Amino acid sequence: MLAKVDGSPITQSDVDTAKSLLPAQYQGLPDNVLVPALLDQLIDRRIASLAAQKAGLDKDPKIKH
């Protein structure tokens, strides 16, 4: 586990998946540059997702669509 957001872990596997979705030119960046940036992005996304769920946005039909 690399980080935890509100009890929800972010793992190396999550970072590896995010890296695999990047364009090839970014995948070639050194891990000491890429991994911290991806981890920050995953943390931000998890925080936003949890906030949206707490606000009930996951139940909004417009959002689901």
Side-chain angles (χ1 to χ4, degrees):
M1 178 175 59
L2 301 175
K4 190 182 280 192
V5 176
D6 198 29
S8 179
I10 296 175
T11 64
Q12 182 64 48
S13 176
D14 296 322
V15 172
D16 293 342
T17 299
K19 182 178 178 180
S20 73
L21 297 172
L22 292 173
Q25 72 237 32
Y26 294 113
Q27 289 182 23
L29 290 172
D31 280 348
N32 66 328
V33 172
L34 190 57
V35 171
L38 288 173
L39 185 57
D40 285 345
Q41 187 179 62
L42 289 169
I43 290 169
D44 290 345
R45 287 181 182 184
R46 188 73 51 91
I47 290 169
S49 176
L50 290 170
Q53 287 175 359
K54 287 179 183 179
L57 295 178
D58 58 326
K59 296 178 181 31
D60 185 325
K62 291 179 184 176
I63 301 292
K64 284 184 177 184
H65 178 67

